[in-house]
Amino acid sequence: MDIKPTSQPAMRPEDENLGIGMNIAYGFQHVLTMYGGIIAVPLIVGQAAGLTPAEIGLLIAASLFIGGIATLLQTLGVPFFGCQLPLVQGVSFASVATIVAIVTSGGGLPAVFGAVIAASILGLIISPVFSMIIRFFPPLVTGAVITTIGLTLMPVAARWAMGGNPKADDFGSMTNIGLAAFTLALVLLLSKLGNAAISRLSILLAIVIGTLVAWAMGLVSFAGVTTGPIFAFPTPFHFGAPVFEIASIISMFIVVLVILVETSADILAVGDIIDTKIDSRRLGDGLRADMISSLIAPIFGSFTQSAFAQNVGLVAVTGVKSRFVVAFAGLILLTLGLLPIMGRVIAAVPTAVLGGAGIVLFGTVAASGIRTLAQVSYTNNMNLIIVATSIGFGMLPIAAPAFYDQFPDWFATIFHSGISSTAIMAILLNLLFNHVKVGNSDQQSVFAEGTERSVRSAVIDDLNEGDYFKEGKLYDADHNEIVIVPEKSAAH
């Protein structure tokens, strides 16, 4: 009697376990790669909210803590939550401009937390059907939004480089700007001369070196680092109970839609990189993990969560596909979040140093958006005018911060954020021109004409059947060269 061997299901590449030692080593690499990005958001928001260094340290600790939990959920997964892929989660850059707009318009952090909670609930509700509406968020829309995110943050980098506090006597001094320039030069130098590991860590290393130089110059003090506990569990609602404002919720919901698109792209990208199957259910599980993490985050003092694209790139560069490596990165983030002293150390970094690094960091976000827009076809359509109008609309509150001061408060809150403005305009124009065909003119706009080649009809009249152009010369059907007469000669 023949006994056929039982076929074992093929192990997915992401399920490979490299062992504790390698998991920790590669996990640290993931943490270091995204560390600058995950601390940037609480730094920006904390300064915009006028928090003390100790309070900013709490924001940073909370962001690390929630980032760790979100990463563990995404990589290990539970039923209906987590795509079980090597994706590092952290505070989304997409929400920064909107959060700052809510904070500076008088709502404060409680209004931000309320908006994040409400918008995340809405995101959780729509995540099962998001695959049906994702076609309304093509690279045309997401590219314009991501570009605007980077451009919107550039004024933040400029203020940081000048010292951060416009009321300070040394704001805009050559010392501050020189320190920022030194940090920027370090980033570029390390990126050019360093090996692969140093190049990937160039921003973090430049911040460390820049801070040490500032300390040697007497421009920074670490006296406040020892003030407060070394170990502490993030306190729920430390900054106050959430406040729910309709305008802020609408504005944040737009951000959540962008985050859902970005995370979808990251899930699909990492699936392609590690050569594993991504179906609609797995995509939905990943999106739900994003939303439930974002829902919990405000309780502990953090903000919207999303997958970090730079870590997707790290997976591609290193070829390490294991989700358990990234799970260990989540454990490291979680541990750092329980050590507020680390947040206080980071809060002591001179603002000018962050400004130098921020130019590259925020510029990279804009460059990512431009790279996405490069995937868009601009042939025989109105995509060029959609991108131009959307980004231009998003730049209005950046170029003229008082632009919406005379508008109703709810309207100003939504459109005072460059990302919200760009997203709304890009979505509406994409629907108007690319989905609603009724009423489209058969005469192309000057914007479409500008992207196309054209030949005068008189030139066509001079050609015969079989004529062809090769290596700069014109030939007839019998391969005889045809003399090309210059314009002036032809006129005589």
Side-chain angles (χ1 to χ4, degrees):
M1 179 178 178
D2 294 333
I3 299 176
K4 295 182 179 180
T6 304
S7 60
Q8 297 291 330
M11 185 179 73
R12 301 180 303 182
E14 64 270 26
D15 292 335
E16 181 184 6
N17 196 330
L18 305 180
I20 293 179
M22 298 302 289
N23 284 341
I24 293 175
Y26 285 123
F28 262 116
Q29 183 172 244
H30 271 285
V31 170
L32 292 173
T33 300
M34 54 87 72
Y35 199 78
I38 199 171
I39 68 173
V41 176
L43 278 171
I44 296 170
V45 175
Q47 290 202 356
L51 302 182
T52 64
E55 290 174 322
I56 293 177
L58 291 176
L59 278 184
I60 293 172
S63 294
L64 293 169
F65 178 75
I66 293 297
I69 291 176
T71 301
L72 287 170
L73 179 61
Q74 193 71 278
T75 54
L76 300 180
V78 297
F80 304 108
F81 295 94
C83 62
Q84 296 186 340
L85 288 169
L87 285 170
V88 179
Q89 301 288 116
V91 182
S92 172
F93 258 101
S95 62
V96 175
T98 299
I99 291 173
V100 170
I102 295 172
V103 167
T104 54
S105 65
L109 286 176
V112 172
F113 295 144
V116 171
I117 290 173
S120 299
I121 292 174
L122 294 174
L124 194 59
I125 292 172
I126 68 170
S127 59
V129 296
F130 193 74
S131 58
M132 298 171 60
I133 65 171
I134 198 169
R135 65 192 182 93
F136 297 117
F137 296 86
L140 173 69
V141 173
T142 57
V145 172
I146 295 170
T147 301
T148 302
I149 291 170
L151 296 176
T152 298
L153 292 172
M154 289 312 296
V156 175
R159 284 196 297 272
W160 279 1
M162 297 173 74
N165 183 7
K167 297 179 181 179
D169 293 335
D170 65 343
F171 183 72
S173 68
M174 287 304 298
T175 301
N176 284 333
I177 295 177
L179 189 58
F182 173 74
T183 307
L184 174 60
L186 278 175
V187 173
L188 300 177
L189 194 63
L190 292 170
S191 298
K192 177 178 174 60
L193 302 179
N195 56 28
I198 291 177
S199 180
R200 284 194 296 270
L201 301 176
S202 58
I203 288 180
L204 183 64
L205 291 173
I207 290 175
V208 172
I209 296 172
T211 301
L212 292 175
V213 170
W215 173 73
M217 296 171 62
L219 300 176
V220 62
S221 171
F222 292 100
V225 171
T226 57
T227 304
I230 295 176
F231 176 89
F233 188 85
T235 305
F237 302 120
H238 174 83
F239 296 96
V243 175
F244 300 93
E245 297 176 350
I246 296 298
S248 298
I249 293 171
I250 294 173
S251 185
M252 191 61 68
F253 180 60
I254 294 171
V255 173
V256 163
L257 291 176
V258 174
I259 290 173
L260 288 171
V261 174
E262 288 180 345
T263 298
S264 297
D266 288 335
I267 290 173
L268 295 172
V270 81
D272 184 60
I273 289 169
I274 68 175
D275 194 23
T276 194
K277 182 181 179 182
I278 305 296
D279 53 23
S280 58
R281 178 176 177 178
R282 200 170 186 185
L283 178 61
D285 288 348
L287 296 178
R288 281 189 287 275
D290 242 18
M291 291 299 99
I292 198 68
S293 300
S294 298
L295 175 60
I296 295 171
I299 296 174
F300 297 97
S302 191
F303 313 102
T304 49
Q305 304 290 303
S306 69
F308 269 53
Q310 56 263 51
N311 290 85
V312 175
L314 184 60
V315 171
V317 170
T318 62
V320 179
K321 305 174 181 179
S322 173
R323 61 189 174 99
F324 299 108
V325 163
V326 179
F328 269 81
L331 285 174
I332 295 168
L333 288 172
L334 187 63
T335 303
L336 291 173
L338 296 174
L339 299 172
I341 187 173
M342 295 300 299
R344 294 195 294 273
V345 169
I346 296 165
V349 174
T351 309
V353 169
L354 294 173
I359 292 173
V360 180
L361 190 63
F362 303 154
T364 300
V365 178
S368 297
I370 294 171
R371 184 171 57 188
T372 301
L373 288 174
Q375 304 171 14
V376 177
S377 171
Y378 298 96
T379 304
N380 293 327
N381 56 45
M382 296 295 290
N383 286 343
L384 184 64
I385 194 172
I386 294 173
V387 173
T389 306
S390 301
I391 294 179
F393 197 62
M395 289 298 99
L396 286 178
I398 309 305
F403 191 87
Y404 294 112
D405 282 2
Q406 301 302 315
F407 286 72
D409 290 344
W410 64 269
F411 188 95
T413 299
I414 295 173
F415 288 95
H416 188 66
S417 163
I419 179 176
S420 298
S421 301
T422 298
I424 291 172
M425 184 61 73
I427 292 167
L428 291 179
L429 291 181
N430 182 52
L431 287 171
L432 178 65
F433 288 112
N434 294 330
H435 291 273
V436 180
K437 300 294 185 180
V438 178
N440 281 6
S441 172
D442 58 355
Q443 301 297 316
Q444 289 291 335
S445 158
V446 64
F447 293 96
E449 291 284 349
T451 66
E452 297 297 304
R453 296 178 58 195
S454 62
V455 178
R456 294 194 308 275
S457 59
V459 175
I460 302 298
D461 294 339
D462 290 332
L463 297 178
N464 295 324
E465 188 70 29
D467 291 349
Y468 64 95
F469 200 71
K470 182 179 180 181
E471 297 180 351
K473 296 181 180 180
L474 184 64
Y475 298 90
D476 62 18
D478 297 323
H479 312 299
N480 298 314
E481 182 179 352
I482 301 172
V483 178
I484 299 177
V485 182
E487 287 277 351
K488 290 184 179 179
S489 300
H492 294 294

